[in-house]
Amino acid sequence: MSYPTQKSESEWRAELTADQYAVLREAATERPWTGELLDESRAGLYTCAACGNELFKSGTKFDSHCGWPSFYESVRPEAVELIEDRSHGMVRTEVRCAQCGSHLGHVFPDGFGTPTGDRYCMNSIALNFTPEES
């Protein structure tokens, strides 16, 4: 897949921390309950930590008790790319940034009580948060 933001792997490695590179470029997963944005409750915008693409609004974040920040929808359907993931002996839907192709997490159809029924389970390290100005 060709993405609007294209960089070499050496450029990604130079711009991202080792942990960010592992998650964003190699589809690793941060340990549950460790992410800095898990308990973030301020109003604001979540963007891709690799390229700055707008991904989620704070109003769609909810506490799913899964150990990672969860959202019930992206800012726009075209902001993310959904890909079938058959790794680790299961079938899941991977969520990637549609701007740069970075791995963000997975989406599951178990967002009970949300308007969409979806749970976008994202790695904190894959996101940046900008609070709304008051």
Side-chain angles (χ1 to χ4, degrees), residues 55-110:
L55 299 170
F56 302 98
K57 293 181 182 176
S58 59
T60 64
K61 188 173 189 262
F62 68 102
D63 188 356
S64 67
H65 307 285
C66 71
W68 293 276
S70 298
F71 304 86
Y72 61 79
E73 68 183 353
S74 61
V75 293
R76 303 173 312 287
E78 63 275 10
V80 295
E81 177 184 23
L82 305 180
I83 300 170
E84 184 178 279
D85 176 3
R86 292 185 168 267
S87 64
H88 305 292
M90 60 185 112
V91 179
R92 303 178 290 175
T93 302
E94 179 185 6
V95 180
R96 291 187 189 171
C97 173
Q99 180 71 28
C100 69
S102 289
H103 173 79
L104 304 170
H106 290 85
V107 62
F108 303 95
D110 61 3

Side-chain angles (χ1 to χ4, degrees), residues 19-41:
D19 289 339
Q20 284 177 316
Y21 185 87
V23 170
L24 290 159
R25 305 308 303 168
E26 299 177 320
T29 301
E30 68 188 355
R31 289 188 349 263
W33 310 105
T34 62
E36 290 182 21
L37 298 175
L38 178 62
D39 296 320
E40 179 59 64
S41 60

Side-chain angles (χ1 to χ4, degrees), residues 8 43-44 64 134:
S8 69
S64 67
S134 36

